[in-house]
Amino acid sequence: MADDVIDLQVWKGDWGLPTVDPACLSTLSYCRFSGVPLKLRKTGNPWRSPSGELPIMKHRNVTETKVSEIFSYLRKQNYGCDFALSNKQSADAVAFSSMLEEKLLPAILHLWWIDGKTFVDFTRPWYTKVLPFPLNFFIPGQKQKQASLRVSLTKGGTNVSDTELEAKIYKEAKECMNLLAYRLGKQEYFFGSTPSSLDALVFGYLAPILKAPLPNNQLQNHLKMCDNLCSLCNRILLRYFPPDPEEEAKKKKAEASKSQSSSDLQEFPNKKRNMVLAAIFALTAMAGYAFLSGIIQIDIVDDSNSTSNNTSSSYFSKPQTYKNEPVFEDNDGYDDE
Amino acid sequence: MSSLVAEAVQAELGAYEPWPDNACLYQPYQVEQITFPDYANCLSVKTFLHMCGLEFHTEVRTNAEEMSPSGKVPFIHVGAFLVSELDPIIAFVNTRGFQLSRDLDEGMKSEMRAYMALIENVMVNAELYLAWIDEAVSEEITKPRYGYIHPWPLNRLLPWQKQSNVRARLNSVGWAKKTMDEVCDEVKTCCQALAERLDSKQYFFGDKPTELDALVFGHLYTILTTRLPVSRFAEIVQQFSNLTAFCTRVEENFYKKYGRDF
């Protein structure tokens, strides 16, 4: 039975969402819609992924990291929420999912990663907080570079300026939302009363726009005007992602401890570790300086009894006379010269 | 005036102006120079204009790509405006009162847009992949054609530069690392979706052509008729008999009937 559980790693969640990344959110909701037995791990470390991206799905010996491939793998394992669709509806699902990728994704990437103010004030701090220590220095920059390449190479051209490009992609994204709203109409989900893979994708793209408190969010303003899309997101969130009691407890605990402790703990979460690291660094530097400038000398005497590390340190142990300087020696029966 | 900023202005200015007689479409030389992804785009635009019943004449220029406001072919020159690529051209023509999809309801219109995005997302990338990434096609066909009009060092350098641009573009959307088989799978899924949608109808949305029909015709007809060392895409399209019948129908109704050239 444990063999059937699918291991899924996604970015951590925030703002009432189970995970903040569109791809992770789509995958997760697809799994929930089709009742896949999941072992969900929320992580901030994409290091182990073969493509450097999250989500990572592992099942038996298979590892997939792309949303479309995860969907088709799950479909082959007989997990899916599209089996009830007619051929024409499946064709529509394929078409609409390309529209999301073609029209909505560039604007989302622009909003989170390329818009300078949002990136500096919001996206980068969030990812820096979530990522573990050495990765947090370069992963945000790397992701930003990927996003800007993606947007400029597919949407821009040789003679297109940045402002024109920005106007174009946001216009397309807003049109795309309108088209989705028309298509959804008054239905509960895109293809009737049960959710499909298209609902999972739409939810993945739209929910972060709706929930994230970005400083300048023109997409959110537009999305709020499309009532049926907003209620679709909220419905899925409510029905398939009920608040986890464990996490609620954790959150409350964190809030309680936050109110007790001073505010600088919040700003520097790894204060203790940093202090220890700084102390070690300072000590090493001072000792190194003292050693190199000859204040301290380590003298290892070549002795027939001694067995270890003589050769490696013998370079430093030129015989010298020392008068007032302190001498560091082993006490294991070595003699002075 | 560039195509992107101009859109809003055109809606104001162009609304009541009639379509002029001297409208023209610029594209690279068809027989010797044009690469087939560009040819598919040109054919889509021409078919769209024919479907709207608008008159234009085609101007061939060796440097059409450099003349275009967005750096992509084809572009049209109408009165004071230069507009390039299909989507802006559709928007521009709409402001002149010609809209093929006028009779569709909002739900149908959004479906039409979704299928157009499918073509852009899958077919365009697949064509670029076949033309520039596939070793045999790029060395034998695409690069010599792209460099055809240039003298010696340039006919090597420019195709090489274009190839690296295309590779960077495909890389950013995750296509450059795909194998030929994976690309063929994508094309097949796309064709399947189109075939389902078309079913046994005359055009994708009933008896009248829409923008989607122009776009699909441009791409599928190019894939079917271009002779390449690798013909796997054509074989895939030929498996769907309603799509090939659709191509013949559009060719008959908008080109052969009027004795037009492509």
Side-chain angles (χ1 to χ4, degrees), chain A residues 35 110 112 115 123 138 177 184 238 257 314 325 335:
Chain A
H110 192 281
W112 282 70
D115 183 86
T123 316
F138 56 88
M177 286 186 199
L184 181 62
L238 209 64
S257 64
S314 62
E325 291 131 346
D335 288 330

Side-chain angles (χ1 to χ4, degrees), chain A residues 87 91-92 95 98 159 171 179, chain B residues 7 68-69 110 113 115 118 196:
Chain A
N87 286 345
D92 282 359
S98 328
N159 308 334
K171 186 166 155 272
L179 296 174
Chain B
E7 261 173 45
S68 161
S110 57
R113 283 279 157 195
Y115 280 93
L118 174 70
E196 278 305 331

Side-chain angles (χ1 to χ4, degrees), chain A residues 16 18 32 236-245 247-248:
Chain A
R32 287 280 157 87
I236 294 177
L237 207 55
L238 209 64
R239 203 169 290 175
Y240 292 94
F241 299 99
D244 190 2
E247 272 187 20
E248 287 285 289

Side-chain angles (χ1 to χ4, degrees), chain A residues 87-88 91-92 94-96 98-99 101-103 150 153-154 156-160 164 168 171 179 182-183, chain B residues 2 4-5 7 68-69 71-72 87 106 110-111 113-115 117-118 120-121 168-169 172-173 193 196-197:
Chain A
N87 286 345
K88 189 179 160 288
D92 282 359
V94 172
F96 274 94
S98 328
M99 183 170 79
E101 200 182 319
E102 189 69 31
K103 308 279 180 197
R150 157 110 206 198
L153 290 175
T154 53
T158 35
N159 308 334
V160 183
E164 283 173 355
K168 179 183 170 188
K171 186 166 155 272
L179 296 174
Y182 288 134
R183 178 67 183 75
Chain B
S2 158
L4 300 170
V5 259
E7 261 173 45
S68 161
K72 287 173 189 157
D87 268 345
E106 294 294 353
S110 57
E111 277 171 26
R113 283 279 157 195
Y115 280 93
L118 174 70
E120 275 168 43
N121 193 18
R169 183 196 152 152
S172 75
V173 287
E196 278 305 331
R197 176 75 236 188

Side-chain angles (χ1 to χ4, degrees), chain B:
Chain B
M1 208 184 303
S2 158
S3 61
L4 300 170
V5 259
E7 261 173 45
V9 186
Q10 282 157 12
E12 301 285 321
L13 288 177
Y16 303 106
E17 274 182 47
W19 187 261
D21 296 331
N22 62 354
C24 56
L25 178 141
Y26 288 86
Q27 66 162 58
Y29 277 88
Q30 202 147 295
V31 183
E32 300 90 357
Q33 188 195 6
I34 199 167
T35 58
F36 77 90
D38 285 345
Y39 180 67
N41 293 332
C42 293
L43 189 57
S44 300
V45 171
K46 285 187 209 168
T47 314
F48 170 71
L49 293 175
H50 285 318
M51 282 175 174
C52 290
L54 295 170
E55 287 302 321
F56 64 93
H57 60 272
T58 309
E59 290 275 338
V60 280
R61 290 290 150 85
T62 52
N63 61 343
E65 204 172 20
E66 283 79 27
M67 290 164 73
S68 161
S70 73
K72 287 173 189 157
V73 288
F75 66 100
I76 55 171
H77 177 196
V78 179
F81 300 106
L82 290 179
V83 193
S84 72
E85 294 181 70
L86 185 63
D87 268 345
I89 290 177
I90 290 174
F92 176 77
V93 170
N94 283 351
T95 63
R96 300 289 168 112
F98 297 95
Q99 193 178 10
L100 291 175
S101 52
R102 188 181 293 142
D103 301 335
L104 304 183
D105 64 28
E106 294 294 353
M108 298 260 238
K109 262 186 204 159
S110 57
E111 277 171 26
M112 186 190 85
R113 283 279 157 195
Y115 280 93
M116 289 174 75
L118 174 70
I119 297 279
E120 275 168 43
N121 193 18
V122 179
M123 282 301 182
V124 171
N125 285 339
E127 281 163 13
L128 287 174
Y129 182 94
L130 181 65
W132 293 99
I133 308 287
D134 186 87
E135 195 82 12
V137 180
S138 71
E139 292 302 323
E140 281 176 43
I141 308 281
T142 319
K143 280 183 173 178
R145 285 182 72 93
Y146 192 78
Y148 180 77
I149 47 146
H150 299 288
W152 170 63
L154 285 178
N155 68 2
R156 297 273 158 185
L157 285 175
L158 291 177
W160 177 79
Q161 191 190 19
K162 173 83 177 172
Q163 187 183 32
S164 58
N165 287 346
V166 170
R167 185 169 284 144
R169 183 196 152 152
L170 289 179
N171 208 11
S172 75
V173 287
W175 275 66
K177 291 200 184 73
K178 288 189 177 182
T179 61
M180 195 63 194
D181 289 334
E182 285 170 330
V183 173
C184 285
D185 282 346
E186 296 272 355
V187 172
K188 196 169 180 185
T189 323
C190 173
C191 287
Q192 242 161 6
L194 290 173
E196 278 305 331
R197 176 75 236 188
L198 180 63
D199 206 10
S200 54
K201 292 194 289 284
Q202 280 253 324
Y203 298 106
F204 278 89
F205 292 91
D207 298 334
K208 283 186 187 165
T210 58
E211 289 88 343
L212 176 64
D213 295 283
L215 183 63
V216 172
F217 173 75
H219 286 272
L220 293 189
Y221 190 81
T222 308
I223 288 176
L224 285 171
T225 54
T226 311
R227 279 198 200 163
L228 294 173
V230 179
S231 59
R232 291 178 66 179
F233 288 3
E235 284 158 22
I236 292 170
V237 178
Q238 272 155 6
Q239 289 167 15
F240 300 92
S241 56
N242 61 347
L243 292 182
T244 49
F246 165 80
C247 287
T248 347
R249 189 177 310 132
V250 174
E251 189 189 356
E252 181 62 44
N253 289 352
F254 294 97
Y255 288 93
K256 285 195 178 152
K257 212 193 233 175
Y258 301 95
R260 287 171 180 145
D261 286 336
F262 288 110

